[in-house]
Amino acid sequence: MGPQQGPPSFSPPIGQLGGGEQGGPPTGAPPSFIPTQQAGVFAVDPGGIRRCLFRYTYVWLNNGQQFWFYPIFVGRRSVAGWRWIGFTWVYFGIDLRQIQSFTCV
């Protein structure tokens, strides 16, 4: 029996924690509108979503969920940051393969 594998870790590297541009959540709520999802099929890769670092980003997942996100870290296969849950930001990480599309404002 091999080592037990759990969910991937989404902790940002040391030195990226703190407030504002250092990795903390935004100080206010995200925009009050929902952007229009762009038509077409695009692969979500680290290079594509990296341009949204430290920007309000709207995310549509393959499972139908959608939400405002504030990414602070992009890895080879995952992205982590702050997810808006309607009244506050919570730290959140997700595999890039679970993201259908995104747009940053």
Side-chain angles (χ1 to χ4, degrees), residues 9-72:
S9 173
F10 294 104
S11 297
I14 303 291
Q16 289 191 358
L17 294 175
E21 291 288 318
Q22 297 301 312
T27 56
S32 58
F33 66 92
I34 295 176
T36 303
Q37 186 174 15
Q38 302 298 314
V41 178
F42 301 100
V44 176
D45 63 30
I49 203 164
R50 187 168 283 117
R51 66 184 176 87
C52 294
L53 281 172
F54 303 104
R55 296 173 63 189
Y56 291 113
T57 304
Y58 202 81
V59 175
W60 291 268
L61 300 183
N62 295 328
N63 67 7
Q65 291 183 16
Q66 53 185 287
F67 49 86
W68 281 106
F69 183 58
Y70 189 81
I72 62 168

